[in-house]
Amino acid sequence: MKIKFKDCILLILFLLLICCNGKKQEKIKNEDNKINYEAIIKEGKEIRYEDDENIKEVSFVNDDKDFAVEINKIMSSQEKYNIYVNLIEEYKSLASEDEFKEKYTKSFLNEKGNFALSDKTDLDSLWEDSKYDNFDKLNRKILQAKGLLLEEPKYKELDVAVEGFINAIESQRKVMKEIKDYYITKEYEKDKFQKGKILNDEYFNSLKNTEEKYKELNKSNKKVKYFLLRNAISVLKRFNNKEITGELLKLSFLTEMLTDNLFQNKNNIEKSDIFKIETQDKNQYINNLKSIQKTLRITLENLKKISKDQIKKEMINELIYDDIIKEMNEASNISALIIKRIEEDKNKEINELIILYQNKSAEPTFQIHSLLENKTD
């Protein structure tokens, strides 16, 4: 599939920037974490896996010809795909600040997570705050996406995933409305909370279903995005004056790929939760992490070897470049330690380490995106 250099990079930039909402995340603050940051960096720096020589590097070749046809459809109808991506991003933002869930959980669940009213629950004023349901922006994205589901070109996998996700969200909102109406009309006074208990189960089942459908949609979207990123990296290799640009794009790609695998396609994780491998094949999961980690380490080593003349040739700010390498190197040390802990089944602090890795890699990733954006100006 032939792609023009400029068009390819512009599309990849959109994908990269939209997935971090175009915003720079704050650097991690050591004092916000109970774990010893310096000790983690030091321990991770020294890690080399016993089977390192046998670990394959990540391939940047797209050999799925059938999916290439799907990619051609997407590149010919970027507006449709952009709306799907915006839907995903809006949900990610909403899920991280779900006011309804937060209010409901505090009001109706006990410490064990079971339905139980607290003595402090004020049912009369519970739903007075109009901001209880912050789904308005998401609903606009849903309406846009629904209007495109039947339009050409049809996406074989993505359309199905989007439709399933939308149906799950709408079912969830229906239950949320029933819960609100149930307490506003004080129906609970007549049935002694019998329907309230049923709605409680329906609500949390709907949350679970929405999360599963989101994971399916996210997985389908990542497949598209990874294909496009591989294409961009392949295109950049053909240009002698794009050596650093290609390696930086690869570094960003690997960092995102590693984060996605650690999050296991979930929208977010709680640092207090015990890490659990969700796939049945633990060895395959760990080997995949090792493959990404090894390729990331080699990419960093290659970037360290690049001469100052080449940096000047590609008109890259040397101070920013050095900072990217330094920060990514430290993030790589954290991920090396995470993989070792997963392999050793030391799962207690893994989620906290994953969040630390995500935060540590956020700033240099943003800097890479900014550098690449300037390249297309």
Side-chain angles (χ1 to χ4, degrees), residues 11 92 114 117 130 144 189 224 276 298 325 372 377:
L11 178 58
K92 285 168 67 176
N114 298 321
L117 285 174
S130 61
Q144 285 181 311
E189 293 179 349
V224 172
K276 181 182 178 182
I298 291 171
I325 304 305
L372 292 174
D377 290 342

Side-chain angles (χ1 to χ4, degrees), residues 43-226:
E43 185 178 352
K45 184 178 181 180
E46 298 171 355
I47 290 175
R48 286 295 181 273
Y49 308 110
E50 292 181 2
D51 56 348
D52 192 70
E53 291 185 4
N54 298 323
I55 297 171
K56 293 182 179 180
E57 293 181 47
V58 173
S59 172
F60 293 97
V61 177
N62 283 320
D63 51 12
D64 188 339
K65 294 181 179 179
D66 291 335
F67 196 65
V69 175
E70 189 81 349
I71 293 297
N72 275 326
K73 291 180 183 179
I74 290 171
M75 293 192 71
S76 68
S77 57
Q78 289 181 31
E79 183 180 357
K80 178 178 179 177
Y81 179 61
N82 292 355
I83 288 172
Y84 284 0
V85 172
N86 287 332
L87 172 65
I88 295 170
E89 291 306 308
E90 191 59 49
Y91 173 74
K92 285 168 67 176
S93 176
L94 172 70
S96 65
E97 298 178 5
D98 191 337
E99 295 169 5
F100 184 98
K101 182 182 177 182
E102 182 181 356
K103 180 175 284 191
Y104 185 89
T105 301
K106 287 181 179 178
S107 303
F108 295 101
L109 300 188
N110 60 20
E111 293 179 356
K112 294 182 179 179
N114 298 321
F115 182 82
L117 285 174
S118 166
D119 293 336
K120 297 180 181 179
T121 302
D122 185 355
L123 294 174
D124 290 331
S125 62
L126 187 60
W127 307 111
E128 286 180 357
D129 186 357
S130 61
K131 294 173 71 177
Y132 86 96
D133 179 357
N134 50 346
F135 273 73
D136 289 344
K137 288 177 70 176
L138 179 65
N139 192 49
R140 290 196 290 271
K141 304 296 183 186
I142 286 173
L143 290 173
Q144 285 181 311
K146 284 179 77 172
L148 293 172
L149 279 171
L150 299 177
E151 288 191 8
E152 296 291 342
K154 298 284 184 64
Y155 302 158
K156 186 177 180 181
E157 294 182 22
L158 208 51
D159 283 345
V160 173
V162 167
E163 185 174 17
F165 175 69
I166 288 174
N167 290 339
I169 283 286
E170 290 182 335
S171 296
Q172 179 185 326
R173 290 202 70 187
K174 182 180 178 182
V175 177
M176 289 165 62
K177 184 178 185 306
E178 285 187 62
I179 289 173
K180 184 189 174 190
D181 292 344
Y182 176 73
Y183 289 102
I184 286 178
T185 60
K186 298 188 177 183
E187 190 179 339
Y188 57 86
E189 293 179 349
K190 299 176 183 178
D191 69 357
K192 305 299 182 183
F193 295 98
Q194 289 305 307
K195 184 178 177 181
K197 293 175 183 177
I198 294 171
L199 288 172
N200 179 75
D201 291 341
E202 289 181 356
Y203 173 58
F204 284 101
N205 284 334
S206 73
L207 282 179
K208 184 179 179 181
N209 184 48
T210 298
E211 183 62 21
E212 287 301 315
K213 293 301 180 182
Y214 166 77
K215 286 167 67 176
E216 291 174 12
L217 174 57
N218 194 37
K219 187 176 180 180
S220 295
N221 182 51
K222 293 297 180 184
K223 186 176 178 181
V224 172
K225 184 175 179 182
Y226 289 174

Side-chain angles (χ1 to χ4, degrees), residues 239-263:
F239 295 82
N240 295 328
N241 63 335
K242 300 295 179 184
E243 180 184 355
I244 299 174
T245 307
E247 290 298 302
L248 287 175
L249 183 59
K250 188 188 295 185
L251 185 62
S252 173
F253 176 29
L254 291 165
T255 302
E256 180 170 350
M257 184 184 286
L258 187 55
T259 304
D260 288 341
N261 277 268
L262 292 171
F263 272 73

